[in-house]
Amino acid sequence: MEQLSGEIFYPSKDVLKKTRVKDWNQLADFAGENLEAFWEKEAKELKWFKKWDKVLDDSKKPFFKWFTNGKVNIAYNCLDVHLDTHRKNKVALIWEGEKGEHRSFSYFALHREVSSFANALKSLGVQKGDRVTLYMGRIPELLIGMLACARIGAIHSVVYGGFSVESLHERLEDSHSKVLIVADGAFQRGKIVPLKAIADEALQRAASVESVLVIKRTGEPVNMEYGRDIWYHELVNLPMINSKCPVEELDSEHPLYLLYTSGTTGKPKAILHTHGGYMVGTYSTFKYVFDIRDDDRYWCAADPGWVTGHSYIVYGPLLNGATQLMYEGAPNFPFPNRWWQLIEKYGITILYTAPTAIRGLMRFGEAWPNRHDLSSLRLLGSVGEPINPEAWKWYHRVIGKEKCPIMDTWWQTETGAFMITPTPTVPLKPGSGTKPFFGLKMDILDEEGNPVKANEEGFLVVKTPWPSMMRTIYNDPDKYVEKYWSKYEGMYLTGDSARRDEDGYYWIIGRTDDVIKVSGYRLGTAEIESALVSHPAVAEAAAIGLPHEIKGNAIHTYVILKVGVEKSETLREELIAHVGHEVGPIAKPENVEFVDVLPKTRSGKIMRRVLKARALGQDPGNLATLEE
Ligand code: PRX
C-alpha cells in the first residue's frame, strides 16, 4: 500500500491485481438493488440437502426467515464437503499451546474427531434441539465440540473461559443445558485456571445438567462426581463410540447456537443464530473481506468463546476450506514477541485481532516484532472496538510493513457477520471501517429518526435484513422486538453511535447504552453492579466505563456500604476480587470508590452519565430528572 493523499491509504497494484472483488462499487450496486439475488448466488456456493422455497421471508418482521424450507447443516459444509476435494488432506487447524505443544488436523482428521465427539454426545442422550454448554480455553476440543453439536442438531452455548461461577451458572440455567463440556483447567500465563472447580460450584444450582464431559488439558487432579462426570478421552475410546456419525439434515432455520451477551439491563441475553442464514453470511463475508485463498494461513487471535471466534475461527474459515492457526496463550507471554514468533513459524498470511491487543503490544516497542520475519503477512484485520489512528498506523507500518490492507470490521454478536467493512481493494482511512457490506443499507439517525448531516453523530441503524442476523433472544422474543426493533419503525437499532463523513465512510464512536467494552469484551454495567451488591457489605453500587489507554475502557465502580460497615483498603480489594469470582477476571473493576449517595432519577434509576461526567471533569448536562 502506498499512501497517496492525507489520511487515505490506497491499495497497491499487487492487491488490486490479485483480489477477488476488483470493482467494489459494481458488486455493491448489484447487491444493493438485488438483495435476494445476491444472497441466493452466495447460498448456491454451499451444499444444501434440499433447496429453499424463498430466499427471504419477511412476512413476520422483525422475525425474518432466510432460505425457507431449505434443508442444510453448517457442520456438513464445514467438513464433509471438503472430503471429496483436494482439501481432504489439507491442514484445517494448526494448534499451538501456551507451552509450545503442537497439534494439527487435516480436514479428514477434523471430520473424524467431530464425528466421534458427536457420537459421544449422543451416547449421553443428547438429541436434536438439546442445549449443550461448552466451557474451556482455546483448545481444539472447543471447536470440535461445537461442530459435533451442530452435526447432530444440538444447540451449542459457549461460555468464555474467562467467565466465572455466576456467569456460567446463569447461562447453564437460562439455556437449560443437558450437558456441560468442560476442560479440567486452562493454562493462562503459566498459571492454571481451575475451570472444572469453577464449574462444580456453578453446577450446584444448575438442575438441568445431566452429564458433564471433562476434557483433560492440564492434568491437574479434579473432582469427578460419580454418575454425572465422565472423562471425554475415556468415553470416546469405548468400543461403542466410532467415528461414523450421520449428519442431521436440518431446516434452514434450525437453531445453531446461543451466545450470551451483555445488554442494557439485567442478566446477559442469549442471541440465537441458525444454520442456514448464518452459514451463508459467515461464508460470504469471510470469503470477500479476507479474500481467502487456498494457500493462505489465517489466524484469528480471538477466543472461540466470543462471537468473533464463532464466526471467524469456527465457521467462516472452515466453510471456505481455509487453513488456520489457533493459539492457546496470551500475546505477551512469556515475552512480548510470542505472536510475532508464531507468524514467522507458521507463515501466517492473514492476522485478525483487536485494537486492545495491538495497543498492548505496541507499548513494548518495535524491536520485538522487528526481530521476526513477518513478510508472509498479506492482510490484517481489526475488530471489537474503534481502532485509534495511532494504533492503526503502527499495525500497518510495523506489522504489515505498509503492504497489508487493514480490514477494520464492525459487527456484533447480534449481526453474526461483518456489517461495516472494507474489502482489500477499498481505499482506507485509519479508524473507519469504511462502508456497509454488500446488500446492506445503513444509516445514522437523530432522536426523531431523521438522517443526520455528514460528520454529525447519531444512532447507527440497519435498514435491510441480512442472512446472518440474530433470529431472536432465546426465551425472550418480546425483548428482541423491544430492544432492537422499536426505536425506529422497521429498522434494526445497533446500540452504537456513529458518524459518516463526506465520502460516506462510517466512523464508530461507541455504545449508546450501558454496555462497556473492556479490551473489546462486552460487559453490562448491570452484571458488575449485581455482583457487587451480592457481597454482604454492599448496599448499592454503580459501574461506569472510563477511557483507558490499552483496554479502550476500564470499569470504575461506586459503592454505598451497608450501615455499620467500615470503609477500608482491604474491603476495596475484597470487592474487586469478589467481582472477579462472580463474573470473571475480565470484569474486575479498576477501582471501587466508597460514596454516601449515588445520583438517581426520581424513579430511582442510577444516572451513570452524571458519574461519568464527574469522573472526567466534564459538565454533567441536563440534570432536570435528578432527584433532590
Ligand atoms: O460497539 C461496537 C463494538 O463492539 C460491539 C459489539 O460487541 P460484541 O457483540 O461483543 O461483538 C464484538 C465482535 C464483533 C459493537 O456494538 N465494535 C465491534 N467491532 C467494532 C466495534 N467498534 C468499532 N469498530 C469495530 N470494528
Side-chain angles (χ1 to χ4, degrees):
M1 283 202 145
E2 336 150 18
Q3 189 178 353
L4 291 184
S5 69
E7 290 284 280
I8 305 184
F9 289 71
Y10 292 93
S12 67
K13 288 202 184 79
D14 191 53
V15 169
L16 284 171
K17 196 165 96 204
K18 293 190 183 146
T19 302
R20 214 179 237 110
V21 184
K22 300 250 173 339
D23 192 339
W24 188 91
N25 287 322
Q26 198 186 0
L27 194 52
D29 288 348
F30 170 76
E33 282 155 32
N34 308 277
L35 180 73
E36 294 183 37
F38 171 74
W39 286 115
E40 176 150 51
K41 181 176 87 53
E42 296 299 311
K44 281 184 178 161
E45 293 179 12
L46 296 152
K47 291 255 162 50
W48 298 73
F49 304 118
K50 178 177 164 278
K51 208 188 152 208
W52 52 90
D53 299 338
K54 257 182 120 174
V55 174
L56 170 64
D57 174 0
D58 59 3
S59 59
K60 295 202 175 65
K61 316 188 244 229
F63 296 94
F64 294 91
K65 288 183 179 169
W66 285 85
F67 309 106
T68 54
N69 295 323
K71 291 272 183 223
V72 74
N73 187 307
I74 192 170
Y76 181 84
N77 275 283
C78 285
L79 298 171
D80 303 56
V81 299
H82 304 305
L83 301 189
D84 295 333
T85 71
H86 67 282
R87 291 185 180 136
K88 179 175 176 182
N89 294 317
K90 180 181 168 178
V91 178
L93 179 69
I94 304 165
W95 174 83
E96 185 160 318
E98 186 173 272
K99 294 177 171 171
E101 318 95 294
H102 171 272
R103 291 163 77 187
S104 65
F105 302 83
S106 63
Y107 273 90
F108 174 81
L110 205 54
H111 177 265
R112 180 193 64 221
E113 296 299 314
V114 167
S115 301
S116 303
F117 206 120
N119 281 331
L121 290 175
K122 278 186 177 174
S123 77
L124 297 176
V126 176
Q127 292 174 353
K128 182 172 154 182
D130 284 343
R131 273 82 56 216
V132 173
T133 294
L134 296 96
Y135 182 56
M136 58 191 97
R138 272 191 295 268
I139 54 174
E141 283 74 10
L142 182 50
L143 174 146
I144 294 169
M146 289 162 76
L147 289 164
C149 290
R151 186 167 191 88
I152 59 176
I155 305 166
H156 59 73
S157 165
V158 178
V159 178
Y160 170 57
F163 277 135
S164 231
V165 179
E166 196 44 41
S167 305
L168 177 60
H169 166 245
E170 274 169 13
R171 287 156 174 81
L172 285 169
E173 278 229 305
D174 185 77
S175 63
H176 258 86
S177 284
K178 193 175 200 171
V179 170
L180 168 67
I181 309 171
V182 60
D184 55 357
F187 288 111
Q188 202 186 52
R189 295 174 187 277
K191 297 206 188 94
I192 288 176
V193 185
L195 295 175
K196 175 66 167 66
I198 296 172
D200 284 338
E201 216 180 314
L203 282 163
Q204 285 171 7
R205 289 167 293 140
S208 63
V209 179
E210 294 170 10
S211 314
V212 177
L213 199 51
V214 189
I215 313 279
K216 192 173 234 139
R217 169 63 191 122
T218 65
E220 289 289 299
V222 291
N223 160 57
M224 295 291 281
E225 190 173 303
Y226 182 73
R228 184 194 72 182
D229 301 355
I230 181 161
W231 285 105
Y232 174 70
H233 62 271
E234 287 178 6
L235 179 61
V236 82
N237 280 322
L238 292 178
M240 66 190 212
I241 308 287
N242 63 32
S243 60
K244 298 236 170 330
C245 175
V247 65
E248 281 283 337
E249 301 190 2
L250 304 165
D251 191 273
S252 304
E253 288 291 315
H254 184 77
L256 169 63
Y257 69 77
L258 307 178
L259 188 54
Y260 286 81
T261 191
S262 303
T264 317
T265 50
K267 294 178 175 178
K269 305 282 179 296
I271 304 301
L272 184 115
H273 284 292
T274 57
H275 273 250
Y278 178 82
M279 173 181 79
V280 176
T282 52
Y283 165 76
S284 175
T285 48
F286 185 81
K287 177 182 70 174
Y288 287 123
V289 175
F290 293 131
D291 191 42
I292 197 73
R293 303 169 194 165
D294 225 10
D295 59 357
D296 267 323
R297 287 204 154 186
Y298 164 82
W299 179 22
C300 168
D303 195 282
W306 297 88
V307 75
T308 308
H310 281 58
S311 299
Y312 299 108
I313 294 179
V314 181
Y315 294 109
L318 296 176
L319 288 166
N320 280 278
T323 297
Q324 70 171 320
L325 171 70
M326 181 193 276
Y327 173 59
E328 183 183 39
N332 55 356
F333 183 85
F335 299 108
N337 66 330
R338 193 68 180 98
W339 274 16
W340 319 129
Q341 202 180 35
L342 288 165
I343 290 173
E344 177 170 9
K345 176 172 174 185
Y346 294 108
I348 299 300
T349 58
I350 305 173
L351 173 66
Y352 186 37
T353 183
T356 184
I358 300 162
R359 290 192 296 262
L361 289 167
M362 223 170 112
R363 86 194 139 123
F364 295 110
E366 293 176 29
W368 289 102
N370 287 347
R371 278 166 52 182
H372 296 275
D373 177 5
L374 305 180
S375 61
S376 56
L377 287 170
R378 69 168 183 86
L379 203 69
L380 300 172
S382 174
V383 61
E385 52 176 323
I387 181 164
N388 45 313
E390 197 197 346
W392 194 101
K393 287 182 196 161
W394 188 86
Y395 195 29
H396 184 253
R397 179 176 60 81
V398 180
I399 307 307
K401 311 293 176 204
E402 301 186 337
K403 71 177 168 66
C404 304
I406 299 178
M407 303 295 101
D408 180 357
T409 59
W410 177 91
W411 58 296
Q412 307 177 297
T413 308
E414 292 88 340
T415 70
F418 303 150
M419 300 293 280
I420 298 175
T421 173
T423 56
T425 59
V426 172
L428 304 172
K429 300 185 187 185
S432 166
T434 75
K435 296 183 182 180
F437 186 73
F438 308 125
L440 287 169
K441 290 194 173 64
M442 297 181 67
D443 212 340
I444 300 172
L445 307 178
D446 66 14
E447 197 56 55
E448 282 73 48
N450 307 306
V452 298
K453 294 198 195 84
N455 294 316
E456 276 178 16
E457 185 177 344
F459 297 95
L460 181 68
V461 296
V462 190
K463 294 156 81 176
T464 32
W466 65 100
S468 66
M469 63 202 302
M470 69 186 290
R471 295 301 192 263
T472 188
I473 292 176
Y474 186 68
N475 285 338
D476 205 348
D478 294 344
K479 188 103 201 173
Y480 167 68
V481 178
E482 178 202 317
K483 182 163 176 215
Y484 300 102
W485 299 94
S486 56
K487 188 169 172 83
Y488 305 112
E489 175 71 29
M491 292 183 211
Y492 169 82
L493 184 71
T494 64
D496 276 15
S497 62
R499 57 189 183 86
R500 193 171 40 203
D501 67 19
E502 308 74 19
D503 298 328
Y505 277 42
Y506 285 72
W507 299 77
I508 304 295
I509 296 163
R511 301 286 310 187
T512 57
D513 52 12
D514 290 321
V515 168
I516 311 177
K517 281 250 142 184
V518 182
S519 300
Y521 296 129
R522 181 164 158 179
L523 292 162
T525 50
E527 287 160 86
I528 298 150
E529 290 162 5
S530 69
L532 282 169
V533 177
S534 75
H535 189 282
V538 177
E540 279 187 80
I544 57 167
L546 293 178
H548 184 278
E549 211 181 315
I550 298 201
K551 299 177 182 175
N553 295 289
I555 300 166
H556 290 253
T557 59
Y558 300 85
V559 161
I560 303 180
L561 293 173
K562 284 196 183 142
V563 180
V565 180
E566 286 293 317
K567 301 171 189 172
S568 72
E569 200 46 45
T570 325
L571 180 57
R572 190 195 314 275
E573 278 162 26
E574 191 180 313
L575 292 177
I576 294 175
H578 178 71
V579 177
H581 178 264
E582 291 289 300
V583 186
I586 51 161
K588 275 191 188 172
E590 203 77 358
N591 185 28
V592 173
E593 191 178 325
F594 296 118
V595 292
D596 297 324
V597 280
L598 285 169
K600 284 191 193 155
T601 60
R602 282 186 206 104
S603 58
K605 273 171 88 177
I606 296 171
M607 294 179 83
R608 295 188 189 81
R609 91 181 147 80
V610 175
L611 287 169
K612 202 163 171 170
R614 173 180 164 269
L616 295 172
Q618 293 169 347
D619 175 11
N622 183 1
L623 292 178
T625 54
L626 188 70
E627 197 189 26
E628 280 304 294

